[in-house]
Amino acid sequence: MKMYGVFIGIDNYRDPAISGLNYAKADAISFYELFEKKVNPQDRSLWIMTDENATKKKIMMTIGESVAKIAKEEDIVIIHYSGHGSPEVSVEVNSVSKYLVAHDTEYDSVFATGIDMERDVTAMFHRIRSKLVIFFLDSCFSGRAGGRTFEGPFMRRVHGYRGIISLKEMSLGEGRLIMAACDDDQVAGEDPDLGHGIFTHYLLDVITTTNFSGGTLTIGNVYDLVYEKVFTHTCGGQTPILNGRQKLVRIPRLY
């Protein structure tokens, strides 16, 4: 079994109409460095894309082509995205799509230049043969100000060191899962005191410091702990969501 990790963090956007973020790049770097240090090099392949390197084409090629071509059925694929999300109204006023905002996404053309969560992310997932794909999403789609989202023009109109771990002999289950920073009507916040997105900070905290027996954590344990920490930190203003199907999904504890 091998782990493939794709870590995306975008603070700066080409279109000046899209405001910048402060800690999305730091989120991606921290995740990348954690897996680079803690997982045996023979057991993993990692990609990191930040700012101008995180274009729509490069993100989709990396996940939908590079990873999809080499990841085998028994492998695990972990994707972490930190950056803006955007809701957008399609032809029907009541139909709202959700987009990840790449570095080169255009404010006035989110449909054509953003990464559609239903159309594009689903298609990339289908191209990956691995039984276990986990997508950590530190973004939001509420369109409200003050977090990792923006309202597009159409929407506006309407702890201890244990060394390097090996993935061999680990049973990590099966599933296609998305763990998101917050619910649809909430804002995914950043915190300068943490130097990260709030969700990513506590996700990193849980998978590196939680005192569990054995070498893996169930995804349910991870979610429950992250939820509690984020809920407490934001006084209930941000509540992470776990969606998808799973069968005994576990992730390595990286401590």
Side-chain angles (χ1 to χ4, degrees), residues 159-160 204-212 229 253-255:
H159 286 289
L204 286 166
D205 179 64
V206 165
I207 65 177
T208 57
T209 68
T210 306
N211 185 23
F212 278 76
K229 291 173 182 289
R253 180 186 173 196
L254 302 174
Y255 53 111

Side-chain angles (χ1 to χ4, degrees), residues 93-144:
V93 173
N94 292 326
S95 177
V96 179
S97 297
K98 302 175 184 177
Y99 296 88
L100 301 181
V101 180
H103 171 74
D104 57 343
T105 295
E106 298 174 9
Y107 180 84
D108 290 318
S109 304
V110 175
F111 170 80
T113 60
I115 299 172
D116 188 300
M117 285 292 294
E118 182 174 355
R119 179 188 64 217
D120 299 325
V121 173
T122 299
M124 288 189 286
F125 272 33
H126 282 320
R127 291 171 64 87
I128 297 172
R129 290 173 292 170
S130 304
K131 289 183 178 179
L132 180 54
V133 180
I134 305 175
F135 188 6
F136 295 111
L137 178 59
D138 200 338
S139 182
C140 52
F141 306 98
S142 68
R144 295 164 54 189

Side-chain angles (χ1 to χ4, degrees), residues 150-161:
F150 67 84
E151 182 182 54
F154 291 101
M155 175 61 93
R156 180 169 297 164
R157 285 206 300 265
V158 295
H159 286 289
Y161 180 73

